[in-house]
Amino acid sequence: MQKFLTPLIALAVLQASSSAQTALVLDGTVTGGALSTEAMACITNGVAVEVVNDAGWLAKTQADFAGYRALILGDPTCVGPGASPSIIAATSNNMVWGPTVDGNTIIVGTDPVFHNSQGGLQFNNDSVAFVLADATKTGALLSLSCYYDGVAPNTPIPLLDGLPFVTPGVFTVTGVNCYNNVHITANHPALAGSTDATLSNWSCSVHEAFETWQSTGINPFLVLAIARDLGSVYTAPDGTVGTPFILARGAGLVVDSDITLDPAVTLCRPVNSPIKLTATVLENGAPLVGTNVTFTVVAGPNAGLMVVDATDMNGQASLTLSSAVAGIDTIIAQFVDSALLTQTSNSAAVEWCEAECYLVIGRGGTGSHWMVGNTMFSTQLTSVRSSWVVTMADYPSIAIPNLSSSFLTFSSQILMHNPHDFPQNPDQWSQRMRVTVLPGQVVSGDLFGTLNGIHINLATSTGMNGNHYMSFPFQIEGL
């Protein structure tokens, strides 16, 4: 790709792309505006460019920002130390544009434009291709240029506080001044053109490095590249050590490791509902059998939990995890490879949610309270004897007792606490169904009490084994 285009050619390209999705570039963070390295990379990817000054950026609403294919705060050719006026402007409205960044995001702790001839141009082009990879979302290229060169350890980066799933203040850096040994620790097809060699030996490949970042929770940032052997802040999945200076997150981004952990993200898993996580270990492309995998919950309500399991014939080991309280657990899996390096998987996040439905069974109908995690349910049962996590499509079939005489009665009810879908009415319930079982496995049900949004039913069935079952299907109004 040519680095420069004449103004007339650039204008023609921009006009030809006017109907395409558009990337928004903050002028003071690049060199050359519509002819900047970042803008030209967007155009090469078939995406139009809108360049705005600080006032134009600040005038946009959250809905405006959400309409762009990508937001670009580029490298103005090594500006710093100290934030530029444009970065100060973008920081001042980070809670406006930040939450709209739901696509691929890359945070760069150096000045690739200054080093265009040394590998910076390739990396810049790769970075732009990465943030534009998903046409349905808003990506972001966020360069720190030389703003934090030479700063003291643990210097915060408030610019990043508005990004989704980010704890304000979690991003901190230290000034590196100048470091040249770079190692890539994660990969993505769009970033394949950049290597350790193309990122190293820029005579200042690294200007600022991350000491803390959003490494846990839903959609954490992965370390894309480290200043290798600089300090020991981070041990990469492949066992190398250093300090991160490029972070990224997004679809298709994977860590460089021989161990993977699935599923990577589980949203709103009900508390007290176990989930199985599977680690797969490969060595030279083949399953590694009989090696110990250590699963560790590194953050969340179950932080500190550690379980060891050996890989099977498929090179797989597993962890069955549950939680009694709501929150987000972050889990990693590790093994020691044949070179005696400890390799680490991608992190997996499990969101434990109380916004689920429960089938409860018990006695009577005078009403009582029932606690799950931090949520108190008001029931129409005198006491709760058994409970199941249920959905409208997944609920238990309970064997019908085969009575020889007399009868059996109990009560069932569906309870829900769901502030996500029903913020104005999070606590909903069905009527109490009084169930009567007679000899001959005859079952009947009668409804009592009040309902709030949930309709419970009684169904019977015969299994393939000839046994008879009862179940309690239900419907939630509005779902």
Side-chain angles (χ1 to χ4, degrees), residues 259 261 279 281 291-298 304-311 317-319 331-336 342-346:
I259 180 170
L261 184 59
V281 183
T291 192
N292 284 336
V293 173
T294 302
F295 297 87
T296 305
V297 181
V298 296
L305 177 67
M306 185 178 294
V307 174
V308 177
D309 187 38
T311 55
S318 64
L319 165 70
I331 307 100
I332 60 171
Q334 297 176 305
F335 83 106
V336 178
T342 298
Q343 294 201 39
T344 305
S345 71
N346 57 290

Side-chain angles (χ1 to χ4, degrees), residues 143-392:
S143 174
L144 303 183
S145 190
C146 302
Y147 307 134
Y148 294 91
D149 188 17
V151 299
N154 299 310
T155 298
I157 311 174
L159 173 74
L160 307 176
D161 285 350
L163 294 172
F165 306 110
V166 164
T167 303
V170 72
F171 288 95
T172 65
V173 293
T174 185
V176 174
N177 295 313
C178 190
Y179 195 80
N180 289 300
N181 185 10
V182 172
H183 177 55
I184 294 174
T185 58
N187 61 80
H188 182 277
L191 299 165
S194 295
T195 66
D196 289 5
T198 64
L199 291 178
S200 295
N201 300 314
W202 287 0
S203 294
C204 290
S205 292
V206 185
H207 282 277
E208 51 262 313
F210 293 91
E211 294 184 295
T212 60
W213 62 96
Q214 191 69 54
S215 61
T216 61
I218 303 298
N219 201 16
F221 279 87
L222 304 183
V223 175
L224 182 63
I226 62 173
R228 187 171 187 169
D229 299 326
L230 177 66
S232 56
V233 168
Y234 178 70
T235 299
D238 63 3
T240 55
V241 177
T243 305
F245 79 105
I246 303 175
L247 307 174
R249 68 182 180 188
L253 185 69
V254 296
V255 298
D256 288 332
S257 177
D258 290 329
I259 180 170
T260 58
L261 184 59
D262 293 299
V265 179
T266 302
L267 296 178
C268 214
R269 185 75 178 182
V271 295
N272 296 317
S273 178
I275 184 173
K276 183 179 181 180
L277 299 170
T278 301
T280 302
V281 183
L282 303 176
E283 193 163 67
N284 298 319
L288 190 59
V289 180
T291 192
N292 284 336
V293 173
T294 302
F295 297 87
T296 305
V297 181
V298 296
N302 298 290
L305 177 67
M306 185 178 294
V307 174
V308 177
D309 187 38
T311 55
D312 60 16
M313 295 300 294
N314 298 313
Q316 295 183 329
S318 64
L319 165 70
T320 299
L321 182 66
S322 64
S323 181
V325 297
I328 299 172
D329 277 328
T330 299
I331 307 100
I332 60 171
Q334 297 176 305
F335 83 106
V336 178
D337 66 17
S338 57
L340 301 182
L341 292 175
T342 298
Q343 294 201 39
T344 305
S345 71
N346 57 290
S347 64
V350 179
E351 179 187 28
W352 302 105
C353 218
E354 294 177 1
E356 289 291 332
C357 297
Y358 296 87
L359 166 65
V360 294
I361 286 179
R363 305 294 299 176
T366 59
S368 64
H369 295 299
W370 182 64
M371 177 74 80
V372 177
N374 297 317
T375 300
M376 178 75 76
F377 292 93
S378 295
T379 80
Q380 297 180 70
L381 280 62
T382 300
S383 62
V384 173
R385 303 293 180 87
S386 299
S387 65
W388 294 263
V389 175
V390 294
T391 70
M392 288 190 291

